[in-house]
Amino acid sequence: MEYEKEIIKKEVAVSAAIQMVIMMESKSLNTIVNEKANLIWAIADKLTGVYKPHEYGEVILPLTVIRRFDCILMATKDKVLDRYEQIKDLEHRDEILKNASGFGFYNICKYNFDTLLEDPENIKENLFDYLNAFSENVRDIIDKFRFYGHISRMADKGILYMVIKEFTSEKGNLHPEEVSNLAMGYIFEEIIRRFSEAHNEDAGQHYTPREVIELMVNILFYDDSKVLSGQNVVKTIYDPACGTGGMLSVAEEYLDKINPDARVMAFGQEINDQTFAICKADMLIKGNNANDIQDGNTLSDDKFKNQKFDYILSNPPFGREWKNEKEIVEQEAKTGFQGRFGAGIPSVSDGQMLFLLTAISKMKDKKDGGSRIAIIHNGSPLFIGDAGSGPSNIRRYILENDLLEAIIALPNDIFYNTGIATYIWVLSNKKSSRRVGKVQLINANEKCERRRKSLGNKKNDIPIRYIEEITRIYGDFRESKISKIISNSEFGYSKIVVERPMRNDNGEYILKRGKPQPDITLRDTENVPLDKDIDEYFAEEVLPFAPDAWVDKSKTKIGYEIPFARYFYQYEQLRPSAEIMTEILDLEKELAGGLEKIFKT
């Protein structure tokens, strides 16, 4: 026991030290990100008149990505062109040119952003040539932006040269010496957020606040510092709704702080073309395998079928229907646990629990080291659905297989696109011994600071000290005012059907084969805790009030729900009635005096 306590103390100390380093670096990082995002944002002024404000992002975002590629490749540009001249007739020259560039991509055009400006009359044609000379993986990114049409539009309206010139100025200086890969990822997301807000769009669809991701990553890796230490460590991480890749990037950054020798392989899938393009570009820039980022609908077209990962984290869409994927999802559900949805499927009006099941299906077997998941949901997966329904059966599967470690209630108004209650679910198939058979509920609703200025629905932030505190509470695994430890079985219940006999006009039972027939108008149900004997419960809670009742055991169903708020409810003593009456009388006197003055005047 003492040994476990020492391990826990060390884990907390490691987490705190890492967070301190990240906090110190974040101050300068935030300055770079905001300054550069402001400069790039200002370039949109050149689009005024030709484009409406809600269209600016369709030009600025792809140009930001392309300019970043341009800046990165500048140092090895001549080397690539020379090598291309030597091997241009070879069929398989892709890898040779990547090696020449020093990156997983290249460009074999003589132009770059600076030299494009030397021929203003032909800038449109030359820009097309330049873009088409990128390696295929970059051309795929440009295609996803649907950018080529905008080149013609800007050229026809006479602003293409001005816009490219702006990107070659200090505003568009995205050289690696000036802007790190980490900063570049933040800049992409900041620009997306600004353009989304300008158009009153759903910025939160692509953008999860960094403090939320940092909290998730802290907890995701909390118990694994020993596993992640040493040399030749290779870990995989997956996000089924990866957006611009923010969660994957923060996880990589965190692991690099723990162990610079560790290698992280990031995998993700994204349905939105624009955010997929940015995520893939970010992975290319950082030297990751960009083929591990796939586009497409995760629910109907899983690009990582049968693959397993060490860590999974995600902020999937919630409250969104999946009727377009319904047929394919239901077909997969029929295959049981050979597919992802054997535990059940939720209502077609909300697909977030399908992402939860997708994450669970990607967990490695325990014999292979197991996996951990951190995933964000709103409140409905906690309780929606009656016993025997899809959502209840999903909760049943998770709890009866002891996969749920913790649920953390986040502060309200923490996301850009919603002010409703949100929760981090932490799942694992490699629980520590003290967590076996238990779930930790953490109410971190008050662990926030009010922002001076709201960003959409985001009115609150989670500062670093609260990230550390929540992480520590999770790691301590103790009961407190905001931490409850609950047995898995406590969330389960048997839903029993209570019948009452049908009577005729004379008040006699109507019998069939000598048995009373149920009166459906008197039928009722009771939820019996799983740790309570049904017959005992029935005798104590029902028969004293309905002596002729019985349980139709053929209709009994097992259900699970997680009444999170109930565990943190605190009764507030009502004020004495005499005190309230005195206050009312005083108010009446005050009101009467005021009215008397009015009528006298």
Side-chain angles (χ1 to χ4, degrees), residues 194-237:
R194 293 189 187 194
F195 282 120
S196 296
E197 285 184 358
H199 188 35
N200 197 26
E201 284 186 344
D202 186 0
Q205 179 181 351
H206 320 297
Y207 191 89
T208 304
R210 287 283 160 165
E211 73 264 30
V212 175
I213 302 176
E214 287 174 6
L215 174 59
M216 293 171 71
V217 169
N218 269 18
I219 288 171
L220 192 68
F221 298 131
Y222 185 87
D223 288 324
D224 286 3
S225 60
K226 189 179 291 185
V227 175
L228 297 169
S229 62
Q231 295 181 329
N232 302 317
V233 175
V234 179
K235 293 295 177 181
T236 56
I237 188 161

Side-chain angles (χ1 to χ4, degrees), residues 165-190:
K165 186 176 181 180
E166 287 290 290
F167 269 97
T168 61
S169 69
E170 184 56 33
K171 291 179 182 178
N173 181 3
L174 300 177
H175 288 272
E177 296 84 2
E178 299 287 332
V179 182
S180 69
N181 288 336
L182 179 62
M184 197 66 237
Y186 290 0
I187 290 166
F188 285 148
E189 290 195 349
E190 177 65 10

Side-chain angles (χ1 to χ4, degrees), residues 22-23 188 198 223 248 340 357 564:
I22 292 173
M23 181 177 68
F188 285 148
D223 288 324
L248 298 174
R340 293 172 287 170
L357 290 175
F564 191 99

Side-chain angles (χ1 to χ4, degrees), residues 223-290:
D223 288 324
D224 286 3
S225 60
K226 189 179 291 185
V227 175
L228 297 169
S229 62
Q231 295 181 329
N232 302 317
V233 175
V234 179
K235 293 295 177 181
T236 56
I237 188 161
Y238 166 72
D239 184 346
C242 64
T244 59
M247 287 196 169
L248 298 174
S249 294
V250 173
E252 288 181 280
E253 175 194 0
Y254 188 98
L255 287 179
D256 185 62
K257 295 284 189 286
I258 293 176
N259 182 3
D261 294 325
R263 183 183 169 210
V264 182
M265 300 174 65
F267 297 79
Q269 186 164 344
E270 172 58 28
I271 191 172
N272 180 281
D273 283 346
Q274 187 181 76
T275 46
F276 160 76
I278 289 176
C279 184
K280 184 173 179 178
D282 191 37
M283 293 299 161
L284 267 179
I285 288 165
K286 291 188 294 190
N288 293 359
N289 185 352

Side-chain angles (χ1 to χ4, degrees), residues 25-37:
E25 291 184 353
S26 292
K27 290 180 180 178
S28 59
L29 184 64
N30 288 338
T31 301
I32 293 170
V33 170
N34 288 328
E35 286 179 355
K36 188 57 66 176

Side-chain angles (χ1 to χ4, degrees), residues 548-566:
D548 56 358
W550 72 91
V551 176
D552 184 346
K553 293 189 176 180
S554 69
K555 293 186 174 72
T556 299
K557 294 180 179 179
I558 302 298
Y560 278 82
E561 67 176 14
I562 304 172
F564 191 99
R566 186 192 303 168

